[in-house]
């Protein structure tokens, strides 16, 4: 069995005393410790999988476990918003079943919001920009589970839909001369990942609904990510052949002529839950980069 990391291990790697590590992990404000030292110790504790004391304090005081969730809805991306809301509701259901509470963590506004929430044991971040992710990760030293985000940092977990795989399935249904119609995604790396298999001139991102832009696709083969987006544009795509990558359970809302590829976000919610629980308990090592098909 792998040896459990101790406070002495953290102190040795950080080049500080055990007392300093203890003060920092227990958020002691009566000790003069520089921000640089505090950040270094917390980062090394995270790297070594040394359990942050915020969770331990919560358990010791008998308070309910609290998981933060950070996301931002965009009024110009209604289809994307519906998927995020569905996913969050799935996570709330799963968390409540295990007696966890969920607390919304704003990604804008007061920069001390996260650090003030001492009872948060972990954070689920959904489709944030790089700037928002960096701001969040630098202010909370608990496990951060990134959903539909590619952060390119081995310290953090990332779980995301394998859209290139789903797009290839849709291409098999209607042909490889298709156009890709999508909502805007906040995470730049994830958006690049989604569109990497398509020539740039055949990718249309609808930040808002443009009727003229959609009409230009009339008669063409279209792959649409999102049921609501498909319903928005379908009336304007006369004689078009359409395949929809859908996360909705009720597909009867789509016209019968539309071909469907299932995006199983319930599977993504289950995987997120399993990785989150393991990140809290440190039972075993898991892959930090998980694609969901």
């Amino acid at each position: 069995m792998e040896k459990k990391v101790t406070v002495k291990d953290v102190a040795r790697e950080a080049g500080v005393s055990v007392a300093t590590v203890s003060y920092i992990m227990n958020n002691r404000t009566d000790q003069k410790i520089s921000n640089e030292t505090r950040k270094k110790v917390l980062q090394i504790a995270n790297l070594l999988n040394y359990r942050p004391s915020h969770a331990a304090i919560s358990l010791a005081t008998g308070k309910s476990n609290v998981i933060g969730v950070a996301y931002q809805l965009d009024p110009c991306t209604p289809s994307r918003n519906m998927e995020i809301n569905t996913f969050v509701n799935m996570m709330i259901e799963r968390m409540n079943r295990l007696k966890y509470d969920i607390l919304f963590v704003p990604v804008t506004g007061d920069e001390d919001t996260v650090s003030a929430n001492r009872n948060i044991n972990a954070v689920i971040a959904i489709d944030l920009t790089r700037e928002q992710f960096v701001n969040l990760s630098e202010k909370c030293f608990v496990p951060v589970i990134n959903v539909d985000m590619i952060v390119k940092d081995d310290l953090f977990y990332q779980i995301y839909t394998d859209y290139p795989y789903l797009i290839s399935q849709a291409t098999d249904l209607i042909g490889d001369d298709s156009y890709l119609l999508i909502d805007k995604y906040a995470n730049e790396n994830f958006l690049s990942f989604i569109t990497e298999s398509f020539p740039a001139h055949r990718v249309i991102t609808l930040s808002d609904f443009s009727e003229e832009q959609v009409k230009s696709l009339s008669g063409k083969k279209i792959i649409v990510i999102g049921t609501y987006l498909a319903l928005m544009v379908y009336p304007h795509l006369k004689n078009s052949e359409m395949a929809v990558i859908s996360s909705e359970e009720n597909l009867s809302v789509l016209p019968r002529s539309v071909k469907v590829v299932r995006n199983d976000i319930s599977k993504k919610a289950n995987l997120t839950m399993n990785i989150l629980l393991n990140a809290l308990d440190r039972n075993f090592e898991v892959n930090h980069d998980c694609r969901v098909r």
Side-chain angles (χ1 to χ4, degrees):
M1 183 178 295
E2 185 179 354
K3 181 182 177 182
K4 184 177 180 181
V5 177
T6 68
V7 67
K8 292 182 179 179
D9 297 322
V10 177
R12 182 179 63 253
E13 292 296 324
V16 298
S17 68
V18 170
T20 297
V21 174
S22 179
Y23 293 147
I24 292 171
M25 300 304 291
N26 287 286
N27 195 36
R28 288 278 293 275
T29 59
D30 58 336
Q31 301 294 321
K32 292 184 178 181
I33 301 173
S34 70
N35 288 334
E36 182 178 355
T37 298
R38 187 180 300 274
K39 183 176 179 179
K40 180 180 180 181
V41 167
L42 289 169
Q43 287 178 330
I44 288 176
N46 190 27
L47 182 63
L48 295 178
N49 285 340
Y50 181 77
R51 168 174 283 207
S53 64
H54 301 156
I57 291 174
S58 177
L59 291 172
T61 57
K63 297 179 181 178
S64 298
N65 291 327
V66 179
I67 305 300
V69 58
Y71 63 95
Q72 189 171 24
L73 301 181
D74 186 337
C76 295
T77 59
S79 192
R80 179 73 183 129
N81 293 346
M82 289 183 67
E83 182 178 326
I84 291 176
N85 281 328
T86 299
F87 178 81
V88 171
N89 287 336
M90 286 180 175
M91 293 307 302
I92 291 174
E93 179 185 353
R94 287 159 173 76
M95 293 293 177
N96 288 343
R97 203 180 303 153
L98 295 178
K99 309 303 181 183
Y100 283 89
D101 292 324
I102 282 188
L103 177 68
F104 176 69
V105 178
V107 295
T108 58
D110 183 3
E111 64 178 13
D112 292 327
T113 299
V114 177
S115 59
N117 293 315
R118 299 300 180 189
N119 289 333
I120 289 180
N121 301 156
V123 175
I124 300 172
I126 306 170
D127 191 23
L128 303 182
T129 65
R130 176 67 186 177
E131 181 181 0
Q132 289 170 335
F133 163 71
V134 170
N135 184 59
L136 178 70
S137 62
E138 286 186 348
K139 290 177 174 60
C140 63
F141 297 92
V142 294
V144 178
I145 316 298
N146 298 290
V147 178
D148 284 348
M149 295 169 59
I150 298 178
V151 299
K152 297 182 179 180
D153 190 329
D154 292 339
L155 279 177
F156 301 95
Y157 302 91
Q158 54 188 32
I159 304 164
Y160 51 98
T161 298
D162 191 347
Y163 276 116
Y165 173 78
L166 299 180
I167 290 171
S168 70
Q169 288 190 317
T171 299
D172 290 341
L173 293 176
I174 64 173
D176 58 8
D177 54 344
S178 311
Y179 284 76
L180 180 64
L181 192 61
I182 62 176
D183 264 336
K184 179 175 64 177
Y185 287 74
N187 187 258
E188 302 88 344
N189 291 333
F190 187 50
L191 180 59
S192 296
F193 171 74
I194 294 172
T195 60
E196 65 183 7
S197 61
F198 260 77
H201 71 280
R202 286 199 278 123
V203 177
I204 298 178
T205 303
L206 290 184
S207 298
D208 52 11
F209 186 76
S210 171
E211 186 173 327
E212 291 303 316
Q213 186 179 31
V214 173
K215 282 183 177 179
S216 69
L217 297 176
S218 179
K220 296 181 172 63
K221 297 176 181 178
I222 315 295
I223 296 173
V224 184
I225 296 181
T227 302
Y228 191 81
L229 181 56
L231 292 172
M232 287 173 61
V233 301
Y234 181 81
H236 305 278
L237 299 179
K238 296 180 180 179
N239 303 315
S240 296
E241 189 173 1
M242 181 185 295
V244 179
I245 298 174
S246 175
S247 60
E248 297 297 318
E249 291 293 335
N250 181 16
L251 298 177
S252 62
V253 296
L254 291 169
R256 291 185 178 181
S257 61
V258 172
K259 299 175 176 62
V260 177
V261 173
R262 291 285 289 119
N263 171 17
D264 192 349
I265 60 173
S266 178
K267 181 179 179 180
K268 183 163 59 179
N270 290 338
L271 180 59
T272 301
M273 189 71 187
N274 290 338
I275 289 180
L276 172 66
L277 294 176
N278 182 69
L280 293 173
D281 295 334
R282 309 292 189 187
N283 286 332
F284 50 86
E285 186 61 30
V286 297
N287 188 3
H288 281 227
D289 184 276
C290 301
R291 299 185 187 187
V292 181
R293 295 183 174 184

